[in-house]
Amino acid sequence: PIPGGSIAVGRRGKLVEPRYFGRQGPDANAPPIRRDGIFLLASLTKPVVYLGAMMLVERGLLSLSRLVTDYLPEFAAHHKETTLVQQLFTHTSGLPDMLKNNEDLRRSHAPLEKFIACTIHEAAPLFPPGTSYSYQSMGTLIVAELVQKLSGLTIHEFLHKEIFEPLGLSSSSLGSRGLPAGAEERIVSVQTQASHDPSFHWNSQYWRELGSPWGGMFSTPEDFAVLCQLMLSGGRYGDVRLVSPQTVELMTTNRLDDHPEVPESIRRSRPWGLGWSLNHRQHEDVLCDALGPHIYGHIGATGTLFWVDPQTDGFCIIFTSGERARAPWRLVALSSAVAAAFVEL
């Protein structure tokens, strides 16, 4: 069973009041889930990081068509010198999802800088950049490092200053340190396996405070709904514009077609925007069985999923604390049920 969670649905600029269910954590004696509960989003963090990076693209500070080594010369180590920035956005860089020494780094409570250094100096591509697809959390980490270098801010500071604060997302942060006072009691604990080391698993103080750019964002359904509406509104929410409508379109349409050496079968069946996943039908990472490839969003290992549908002008947010790997179909089944309710009136 899923310990607890929340569902939020929005359409035509209006948000239905989120529904909450279950407990605040996986323990049998955990209290009922709070209506102001804050969830660890896991990989739903990624599209937010890429949104921040695209803001730098619009400012002319970052170019998708340039080599990563133009910004980070040391990235050339282990034959990564031909990697383009855009390949970090589309999971075509060949970088690994996780580093070989990932668990050792976490066990030693390594700072984010150590993960970055290992990715730059030690990681070798799984294939020549731009020739195939492989989901790569470490590619997102390098994008975060580019943001840090070009902005002069940590990725945590940048997302707060450029996205969360302007949009009024007071319960959102990359890492728990950026959350408001008293927020620790609001964080919903995640279901973990008995084999997971308690010193660095999702509920540990170390992991919560690290704020990994590939999976360490915290938020509420109400806050995240603002980001979904921003995308539906072409990069604008209220009086705040973060990116242009053209940039939203680039982020949310299949950019694998920009890489001619990626096999056509992959480009057709595993579409990716610029950091935003499109619907991978007939794959385990499908967002919704009941909708086509035009929807975009992401899934997360902590039991999170969201999608945005520009055709119906709506979105669906599902935040749970049930580890996704135990039964990936649960989120998809719920997602499809929500989609079926999006009928024209």
Side-chain angles (χ1 to χ4, degrees), residues 198-221:
S199 72
F200 65 83
H201 67 34
W202 287 318
N203 300 320
S204 67
Q205 181 179 356
Y206 164 71
W207 183 252
R208 287 180 174 180
E209 294 183 352
L210 180 66
S212 74
W214 66 88
M217 179 176 166
F218 289 89
S219 191
T220 63

Side-chain angles (χ1 to χ4, degrees), residues 129-144:
T131 64
S132 190
Y133 158 88
S134 182
Y135 186 76
Q136 34 114 79
S137 293
M138 294 304 97
T140 310
L141 177 60
I142 296 302
V143 169

Side-chain angles (χ1 to χ4, degrees), residues 13 32 58 69 94 100 103 110 117 157-158 199 201 212 235 338:
E58 286 200 340
T69 53
K100 291 182 178 179
E103 287 203 6
E157 293 168 340
F158 182 88
S199 72
H201 67 34
S212 74
V338 170

